[in-house]
Each structure stands twice: as C-alpha cells, then as structure tokens.
Amino acid sequence: MATEAAGIDRPLLVDDFLQRRRYQLQLADAAADEHTLVCLPTGLGKTTVSLLVTAERLHEAGGKALFLAPTKPLVQQHADFYREALQIPDDEIVVFTGDVKPDDRAALWEDARIVIATPQVVENDLVGNRISLRDVTHLTFDECHRATGDYAYVYIAERYHADAADPLVTGMSASPGGDTEEIETVCENLGLVNVEVMTEEDADVDEYTHDTDVQWEQVTLPDEVLDIRDALNEVITDRLEKLKRLGVTNTTNPDLSQKDLNKMRGQLKQMMDNDQSDGYKGMSTHAEVMKLRRATELVETQSVESVRRYFERQREAARSSGASKASQRMVADPKVREAMRKAESFDGLHPKFSKARILLAETLGINEGERAILFTESRDTAEALVEFLSASFDVRKFVGQGDKEGSDGMSQKQQQETLDEFKAGEFEVLVSTSVAEEGLDVPEVDLVCFYEPVPTAIRSIQRKGRTGRQAEGKVVVLMAEDTRDEAFFWISRRREKKMASQLAELKEATDDIEETVGDDGQAGLDAFAGGSEESDDDADATSDEGEGGAVDGAEANDGAAASDDDAGLTDFADEVRESDDGEGDDGESDEAEATGDAGESEEAAADSDDDGVVATAGVEDGVEVVVDQRELDSSIAKDLSTRDGLVTRLETLAVGDYVLSDRVAVERKSAADFVDSMLDSDRSMFEQVGELSRAYARPVMVVEGSNLYGQRDIDPNAIRGALASLAVDFDVSVLRTEGEEDTTELLATIAKREQETRDREVSVHGEKTTKTRAEQQEYVVSSIADIGPVTSRSLLEHFGTVEAVMTAREEDLLEVDGVGKVTAERIREVVGSEYE
C-alpha cells in the first residue's frame, strides 16, 4: 500500500473522504499481509485501519468481507461509516443482528460484499448451516479482547480458518488484555500471528492525541448512610459465622474479597457433589451473603435510592411462588428490616450526587465546556441521577436494551438517536451505564466522570478514551471514603498503569510474542484446516465397542413399530415403519428470535466443491444432525458443526432436542434438569417423552453429568423409578454421559451409524400434544395459590367446574379432601382480592 499526500485515494474508497494518517496506513500495510492484532489507543481510528484492509482485499482477492462487533449500536455505527467511505452500493453493505430474520439473513448473505454483524448471529447461522465463510476474504474482530472462553468470536475464528478458501483476519482493540499471556491467548484463539502496536508515545500518533487530566474526588458518607451499611454488615457477619461452622471459611469479616467468596462457593459445590446436606444449606446461606453484599455495595457506592429499589425487588421476589429461601430469610431478618426502614426514611442526598452536580457546573458553566459524560455501573443510579441533575442541566440517559424490573431499556434506534442528539449538541450531559464503553463513537467531551471506580483495566481505558481526542479534557473518579470504592480505586490505578506499561512492553516484545503465537498459531491453523478427523476416528472406534447394553424401544407408541430382533442402539434394525405422525411444521419462532436466534430457515445456496473444508451452507453431502435452536446455549451444536463430514441444521423442533435420522430423536437433560422435569407440573418429562416416543421409533433420553441422585432433596428411589418408567413404560433408551463433550461424541456416533451404516435419512416430525380440556381445567385451578395438581383434581371433582371452584365459599372449600384452612384462605385471598 503506498501513501498519498492529502486524502487517501485508492480503489473502492470515496475520494479524499479519509484523512491521511501515516500510522493508520502503516498498520493497514502490516494487516494486509498477515493475520494481525492491531492495538491502537481509543479514538485514533482502528476502524479506518480495518476498512483500508477490507478495501484492498475486496479489490485484489474479491469475495466478501465480514466485520464483527459486540453490540448492535456498534454494528450500525460501523455500517454507516463503511457506506460513507466506500464506493460500494449501500445494499451490498448489510447489517446482521437478531432483528433480521434468519431466512432474510441467508438471502442477504449471498448478495452482500460486506456484512457487519454481531457475533452471536453469525455463530447461530454457522451452526444452522445458513451461511458459508468459504468466500470471505477478510474477517475483522472489533474489540477482540473478548475472544476468550466460550465467547462467539472463538468459535467463528475456528470455523473461518477451517472453511475459508483465502482467509485473512484482523483483530482490533485499544486494550487487548491485562498481561502478555492474555494477549497471546487472544491471538491464539483468533489465529493471529502478527502483532502491531501504536502508543501515544509514537511520533505519528502523538499529534492526534491530547492530554487527559485524571483526578479523584473523595466524598464522606453521612452517618445515616453508614448506619444502614453497618446494620447489613451485622447480618453478613452472622451468616459468615454459619459458614465458618461448616468449615468453608476462616473469617467473619463482612469486607472479605470476592475471591474468598468464590473459593467458599467452590467448597460448598464440592460438598453438594458428595451428597452432603450441609452443602445445600451452606449454598443457600452463601446466596444470602451475596445478596447482602450487593445491598451494602449499593448503599456505600451508589445511593440510598438504589438500595431502596433493590430491597423492594427482593421483597417482591420473596413473596413470589418458588422464591428462594435465601431471599425469604434475608427480608425477614430483623436487622435487614431495620436497614430497610432507615433507607425508606432517609431524605438526604448522597454526597456523590452533590459532587457530580458541582463538577458539571464547573465544567459546563465556569469553564464554558459543551459536553460531559457521567458513567455509572447501576441503572437505578443512572435514572436517579438523570432525575436529580435535570433540575440544573439538560440531561439524557443511555442504558442497555434489556428491560429490568421497574426500568425500561432503550431500543437500538433510541440509543442511536440519543448519541446523534448528543453529538449535535442538543443536550449537554449523558448519564450512561457501561453499555457506552466499548468503541461507540461518543463525541469528544470536556469531562468524563466515573460515579464509581472501575477495577478493570480494559473498561477504565475504554471509558477514559472518550475525552482527550480533539482537545484537552479531564477525567474525575468519585470515591466514597472508607468504603470498597477505595479498594476498587487503587486496584483500578494499579491495573491501568500496568496496562499502559504492558502496551509499551508489548510494543518492545512484539517479535517474541509473534514467535510464540506464530508457532502455536500455525499449529492451530493446521488443526483448524484439518477438521477433527482424529476425534471422528476415535468416535468410530468407540462406537464399534458400542452401547450394546442400552435399553432399546421395541415399538413406538401410535405407530413406528420396530423389529422384535433389535438389539439396541448399536444394532438398529434395517427396516422400520415410518411414523404415522408425518413431518411437523417448520415454522420459525419470533419469540425465539427476540432472545437470540430463531428456528430453522432454508439453507443458503452456495457452490461447494469438495476441497477438504468442513461442510458449509448448501452442502447436502455428509451426516446431518438437526438441532433445536434452544440447544445453542450448550457447546454441543457448535462442536458438532466443526466435525468433518458432519452438517448441522437449526430448527425449532416440536419434539426432542436433536434429530439423528428418520427414527432417532434425542431429548437431552442435565442431571439437574432431569430431576426438575420430574417435578414440573406444567410440562413434565413424561409428557415430553410420550410425545417423543409417539413421533420416533427410536426415542433416546441422554442424561448428562454426574451426581444424578444428589440433585435436590429427592429420594434416589424416586429417580430410579423414573428411569425405569422411561425404559419400560415408554420404550425409551436412557443413556448417561459425563458431560457436553461426551454427549457430542455420542450424538455423532449415533448419527453416523444411522446415516452411513444403516443408510437412513434425516426426517423431522412430531408435534407437541395439546392439553385436553380436563388438563387445562386442572392447570388453571392448580395455579391458584400454588395448590398443585392433586388438590386441583379434588376441587374439580367436588365442584364440577372451574367457575364453581372460583366462587366457592371458604367453608365449602374446607369440605374437599386435602383442603385445609390455610389452603382455603389462600384460595379465597387470591380469587377475591382486588388486582393491584
């Protein structure tokens, strides 16, 4: 890439739209040649670097580009920038978020040259075999420090390196991690082999940065607020005494660290796994400590109004059906009730509120500033601050999209409109939760005020990057004296200094890191491209030894009869009659789409020559596994989709979680889910299994995980009875697996045996049964005051109709078997009380 004198003039770029900055061109030069991590301080145009690489790749290599960003507002913002900067028709630069239906995404993908998307949507479309990465010639991971653990970036990178014919990856971040090891992890997960770092000390960057004045302001909490905190701390100390007696802690100090609490939880979990009843009691007490700690944190670092709202939510939770004992004990404790009363009666002002108002007055009034951002971790605090500050300033809030109890979220459109109005100067103060931290192009401001210290280096740097871009600005951190604010503050300072020094050290050590990730990365890329042949071979070897002892259904109910000679899952019969139920509806679930992704869609058409890459959209060859879209919460679907010779397809299945052939469908449950579904009065496990066995000749139940008999306080014989009933009464093969990895191997083995060895095809059928009128009547009555199905049947048999039960007098209710005075009173209270 050559550099030009004024603007940047090259193929696919709008002439002179981009300002020529030497450091951006240098970074783009490097990123165009290798899979590269680009580290550049916030606000200095990381997106421009990626755009330059994308333009060159599309011009030289063709294909399409994919740009991933973690949030919907970021996706929209990047799309707007790309459409302005590139000479590509707007309709060829498309946005993929959960708001776009899967069928529409599959069609848009085919015609797009650039797709800008949230990673979860792309992950779902890859698992569902809706799109192919084969022709993607440039993939950008924005805010790539997220590429750890099971975040969607990791899976997408694995698929890209395996599927793409000519891959190139660019990762971008202002703060890639807390230490060299974290940075290497990100590089390895994304397949990056080159690291490019620019700091504010570089001459080419320095002219585009300005000083950021960082200061902290201490405030002193009034005695009334400290009294609320101390009352809560007394309860925490009492609960820690109980945990100390269980041997999981040596301290009763209410200010113990989160690390100590996590360690305590781990010990309690181990006790539960060993079927020790004290483990369950201790875990409940631990939950109470966590709730109380949250309350003390709110009263110390946020506001009394925040803790008031928190207590109200806890009270509501304690009154609800199925409330945890931890919530009930907490709100009933005399000391907690005393703290609640003090919070309700407090009519003063938290000192942070006063200090924030003073800082804004100085910045916007005395110093004639134009804009300021106030960040807080709590939505309750954000809303209270907007209400308080609105008396003196023009203030708006900026919060996430999810609705919370008593608080509406903001839609993507509302978020974008708010940012646009802030940039245009239509209001002067933005009060924001952490949703505005990462990468959003919030305009330069005169003041960034942290309502509380941020103990994470990444988040702190992201926030402070909002000031100091175009002119000198300052950052102020509010800190309540003698509270956890102080601890958080010093942690934040230490980490931030460490991050700054590490970026400098990273720049010095790039050669060493590149050598490390280069060696490991090449091995990883080879593994990506090679698929998982070894694991598949192992699975086949294991399957030869078989699951021969599994109980196999001899004949499915209502059709789908099987041969009497069948030996089990390892030796399915060659012939089996088709189920009478036929194929079910393939309808897409709008409700599911709202929470992540919707059910099945048509597979996107794509040319696919057999060149050794894993199966992608449109490929019909290979073993197919149909996955219920609600199973995306587990790693199983993703793991299956990366298997060589295996194709996954997403649907909203009416019956089962996985369909492996025309006669085999699998219902998967964790050990905890298995026990819970035994007790679910609305939709029991036996109802689910009944539908499964009516629809498929070979229904399979996979029970995943250990400690099946240690779940909740249930007699192990009841669980054994349920297992026996599934095998004997429902003709269901019940298979146990150690975990998700083991389940993945089992599903792949069964699917291969069915489709390759037995030459069977995949066919989805079955539908959920509709409750009979009697069942619906029982359900309505059983929901009254949680009286349950047995008592509801007794009431209906006695009174004859739901209406008669509802209008019955208390003395008439008492005549029914199983209805005592307490139950009768609860029924009358629920039915007869005015709705509030």
Side-chain angles (χ1 to χ4, degrees):
M1 287 184 176
T3 59
E4 287 78 28
I8 302 176
D9 181 16
R10 61 186 60 228
L12 294 184
L13 295 184
V14 173
D15 292 343
D16 297 328
F17 178 81
L18 296 174
Q19 179 187 15
R20 180 185 178 278
R21 294 186 180 185
R22 185 179 301 169
Y23 69 87
Q24 290 177 332
L25 294 169
Q26 290 173 344
L27 291 170
D29 278 339
D33 294 332
E34 293 183 281
H35 305 306
T36 301
L37 168 63
V38 175
C39 297
L40 188 64
T42 299
L44 292 175
K46 293 184 296 297
T47 308
T48 298
V49 174
S50 176
L51 183 140
L52 290 171
V53 179
T54 292
E56 177 165 303
R57 288 289 283 177
L58 292 179
H59 178 67
E60 298 291 337
K64 65 183 66 186
L66 175 60
F67 188 113
L68 299 175
T71 65
K72 289 181 182 179
L74 265 177
V75 165
Q76 189 59 53
Q77 180 175 292
H78 290 315
D80 292 342
F81 175 58
Y82 270 54
R83 286 166 178 156
E84 289 178 2
L86 293 171
Q87 293 181 4
I88 293 176
D90 285 358
D91 60 358
E92 293 181 16
I93 301 175
V94 301
V95 167
F96 273 25
T97 68
D99 295 333
V100 184
K101 292 183 182 298
D103 284 342
D104 295 339
R105 294 200 300 265
L108 288 169
W109 178 269
E110 290 306 302
D111 298 327
R113 293 187 70 187
I114 298 176
V115 176
I116 303 177
T118 52
Q120 292 79 12
V121 165
V122 172
E123 179 183 63
N124 290 352
D125 285 348
L126 286 172
V127 174
N129 197 33
R130 298 186 187 110
I131 63 172
S132 167
L133 298 178
R134 176 187 175 85
D135 297 328
V136 174
T137 54
H138 186 217
L139 171 55
T140 300
F141 293 96
D142 191 24
E143 312 295 352
C144 69
H145 52 265
R146 291 171 171 255
T148 59
D150 60 357
Y151 190 69
Y153 278 0
V154 179
Y155 168 77
I156 294 169
E158 179 182 356
R159 286 294 302 269
Y160 180 59
H161 286 293
D163 294 9
D166 185 15
L168 180 68
V169 177
T170 303
M172 305 191 304
S173 180
S175 39
D179 55 39
T180 301
E181 187 176 337
E182 288 181 29
I183 294 165
E184 289 177 355
T185 297
V186 169
C187 289
E188 289 165 4
N189 286 343
L190 298 182
L192 306 176
V193 295
N194 179 43
V195 179
E196 296 292 330
V197 182
M198 291 279 186
T199 71
E200 294 182 357
E201 306 304 317
D202 290 296
D204 291 337
V205 177
D206 181 65
E207 63 180 295
Y208 298 101
T209 62
H210 303 273
D211 293 334
T212 299
D213 175 27
V214 182
Q215 66 188 65
W216 59 95
E217 295 280 349
Q218 280 191 317
V219 299
T220 302
L221 297 179
D223 290 341
E224 298 94 325
V225 174
L226 293 175
D227 287 345
I228 298 172
R229 179 196 66 180
D230 293 343
L232 295 172
N233 278 340
E234 283 186 42
V235 186
I236 294 176
T237 300
D238 175 75
R239 302 304 188 261
L240 290 174
E241 284 281 3
K242 294 180 180 179
L243 292 171
K244 186 177 180 180
R245 289 195 291 272
L246 293 179
V248 296
T249 181
N250 293 319
T251 181
T252 59
N253 184 348
D255 293 327
L256 79 170
S257 69
Q258 186 61 47
K259 182 178 179 181
D260 290 334
L261 285 165
N262 292 341
K263 182 180 178 182
M264 206 183 304
R265 180 180 174 83
Q267 291 177 272
L268 291 167
K269 180 69 167 61
Q270 192 171 17
M271 292 171 67
M272 292 169 62
D273 290 342
N274 293 330
D275 294 338
Q276 294 175 252
S277 60
D278 283 346
Y280 294 93
K281 296 175 183 175
M283 192 64 83
S284 180
T285 302
H286 183 275
E288 196 177 354
V289 170
M290 296 298 291
K291 292 176 184 294
L292 290 163
R293 289 253 305 179
R294 178 58 179 160
T296 59
E297 181 182 337
L298 289 173
V299 77
E300 280 187 342
T301 68
Q302 298 296 316
S303 67
V304 176
E305 175 61 25
S306 292
V307 82
R308 266 201 296 259
R309 295 186 186 191
Y310 179 74
F311 279 147
E312 183 56 38
R313 285 195 289 269
Q314 292 302 314
R315 275 197 294 260
E316 289 299 320
R319 294 191 194 110
S320 66
S321 61
S324 69
K325 292 181 180 179
S327 293
Q328 293 172 338
R329 279 198 311 271
M330 187 184 78
V331 299
D333 188 280
K335 282 289 183 182
V336 174
R337 296 174 76 87
E338 177 190 343
M340 288 181 181
R341 285 193 296 271
K342 288 181 177 180
E344 292 291 344
S345 62
F346 180 75
D347 59 359
L349 196 62
H350 197 284
K352 284 189 180 182
F353 275 55
S354 304
K355 179 60 70 174
R357 183 169 58 186
I358 292 170
L359 288 168
L360 290 170
E362 289 175 351
T363 301
L364 303 176
I366 298 173
N367 297 329
E368 298 182 344
E370 296 180 357
R371 282 184 290 257
I373 299 178
L374 180 55
F375 280 114
T376 176
E377 300 287 281
S378 164
R379 186 182 292 188
D380 286 341
T381 299
E383 292 176 343
L385 279 167
V386 168
E387 183 178 350
F388 170 70
L389 295 172
S390 292
S392 308
F393 308 97
D394 193 353
V395 188
R396 306 278 176 83
K397 74 174 182 179
F398 189 93
V399 300
Q401 297 183 41
D403 291 339
K404 296 187 177 180
E405 202 164 340
S407 172
D408 293 334
M410 296 175 68
S411 67
Q412 180 183 350
K413 181 180 179 182
Q414 290 172 322
Q415 289 177 337
Q416 193 60 54
E417 287 175 351
T418 300
L419 287 181
D420 290 343
E421 290 169 1
F422 191 46
K423 292 176 191 176
E426 295 183 25
F427 63 95
E428 53 195 345
V429 180
L430 184 70
V431 178
S432 174
T433 55
S434 58
V435 71
E437 290 173 24
E438 288 187 296
L440 274 178
D441 187 19
V442 178
E444 66 274 8
V445 295
D446 303 288
L447 169 70
V448 168
C449 179
F450 294 108
Y451 191 82
E452 65 282 302
V454 184
T456 305
I458 288 174
R459 299 179 75 188
S460 189
I461 285 180
Q462 292 284 1
R463 284 182 173 184
K464 289 198 294 188
R466 302 295 154 232
T467 186
R469 293 185 183 182
Q470 305 291 332
E472 293 188 6
K474 69 177 180 179
V475 172
V476 177
V477 181
L478 301 182
M479 181 170 55
E481 188 178 1
D482 192 27
T483 69
R484 67 196 66 206
D485 265 356
E486 289 187 334
F488 285 169
F489 176 77
W490 292 112
I491 291 171
S492 181
R493 287 196 72 197
R494 183 172 67 249
R495 288 183 179 174
E496 196 164 326
K497 287 180 179 179
K498 184 179 179 182
M499 176 74 80
S501 66
Q502 282 175 339
L503 280 176
E505 291 169 7
L506 174 61
K507 189 174 177 63
E508 296 290 328
T510 51
D511 289 343
D512 293 336
I513 293 173
E514 285 170 3
E515 184 176 350
T516 300
V517 301
D519 293 341
D520 294 344
Q522 188 57 51
L525 295 180
D526 292 342
F528 287 149
S532 52
E533 295 172 6
E534 182 179 345
S535 63
D536 288 341
D537 290 341
D538 290 343
D540 286 338
T542 302
S543 67
D544 287 338
E545 297 174 11
E547 300 281 347
V551 177
D552 189 26
E555 183 172 326
N557 298 338
D558 293 345
S563 168
D564 292 337
D565 297 328
D566 290 341
L569 280 173
T570 57
D571 192 21
F572 284 141
D574 292 332
E575 298 295 335
V576 66
R577 192 167 68 242
E578 294 284 350
S579 169
D580 293 337
D581 289 4
E583 300 228 345
D585 293 335
D586 294 336
E588 173 184 301
S589 167
D590 291 336
E591 181 179 352
E593 176 66 38
T595 59
D597 198 24
E600 63 90 33
S601 66
E602 296 178 3
E603 295 173 5
D607 294 332
S608 179
D609 297 328
D610 185 10
D611 58 0
V613 299
V614 301
T616 51
V619 177
E620 295 182 358
D621 296 334
V623 174
E624 184 179 36
V625 176
V626 181
V627 182
D628 184 74
Q629 59 92 18
R630 286 155 293 203
E631 282 289 295
L632 289 174
D633 288 339
S634 78
S635 64
I636 295 171
K638 288 184 286 187
D639 290 346
L640 287 170
S641 72
T642 62
R643 298 294 184 95
D644 187 31
L646 223 165
V647 180
T648 50
R649 175 160 56 94
L650 284 181
E651 291 194 17
T652 303
L653 295 177
V655 176
D657 296 320
Y658 300 88
V659 177
L660 308 181
S661 73
D662 59 333
R663 63 175 181 171
V664 178
V666 177
E667 180 76 25
R668 181 184 76 96
K669 291 191 181 297
S670 67
D673 289 341
F674 183 88
V675 174
D676 288 343
S677 62
M678 288 170 57
L679 310 175
D680 189 345
S681 61
D682 181 23
R683 180 167 167 75
S684 74
M685 172 178 62
F686 300 105
E687 184 179 340
Q688 293 174 304
V689 168
E691 293 166 350
L692 190 70
S693 63
R694 283 190 290 273
Y696 294 91
R698 293 291 182 270
V700 177
M701 167 75 76
V702 171
V703 182
E704 186 179 279
S706 57
N707 194 30
L708 176 61
Y709 298 108
Q711 302 294 329
R712 302 177 60 162
D713 294 326
I714 294 181
D715 188 337
N717 282 332
I719 297 173
R720 294 186 186 103
L723 293 170
S725 177
L726 291 174
V728 177
D729 299 332
F730 290 90
D731 294 329
V732 173
S733 297
V734 182
L735 306 179
R736 299 288 303 279
T737 61
E738 295 179 358
E740 291 185 357
E741 184 176 351
D742 193 15
T743 302
T744 303
E745 296 290 350
L746 178 62
L747 294 176
T749 299
I750 298 173
K752 286 181 178 180
R753 282 177 169 271
E754 281 290 275
Q755 297 176 47
E756 292 181 344
T757 305
R758 304 298 179 190
D759 198 26
R760 306 193 74 91
E761 295 183 353
V762 171
S763 175
V764 176
H765 40 272
E767 59 184 24
K768 292 180 180 177
T769 56
T770 303
K771 290 182 183 294
T772 65
R773 183 170 63 184
E775 288 172 336
Q776 293 180 58
Q777 290 171 324
E778 290 171 8
Y779 177 69
V780 170
V781 175
S782 68
S783 68
I784 304 172
D786 300 319
I787 63 176
V790 175
T791 306
S792 72
R793 281 193 289 271
S794 297
L795 286 164
L796 285 165
E797 287 169 359
H798 182 88
F799 290 104
T801 66
V802 173
E803 182 180 17
V805 174
M806 298 294 186
T807 57
R809 298 175 302 173
E810 185 176 323
E811 50 267 36
D812 296 329
L813 291 169
L814 289 171
E815 296 177 4
V816 180
D817 289 340
V819 177
K821 186 169 180 58
V822 173
T823 301
E825 288 176 350
R826 286 212 318 266
I827 292 172
R828 287 309 313 148
E829 180 184 2
V830 170
V831 174
S833 298
E834 185 174 343
Y835 175 71
E836 296 179 3

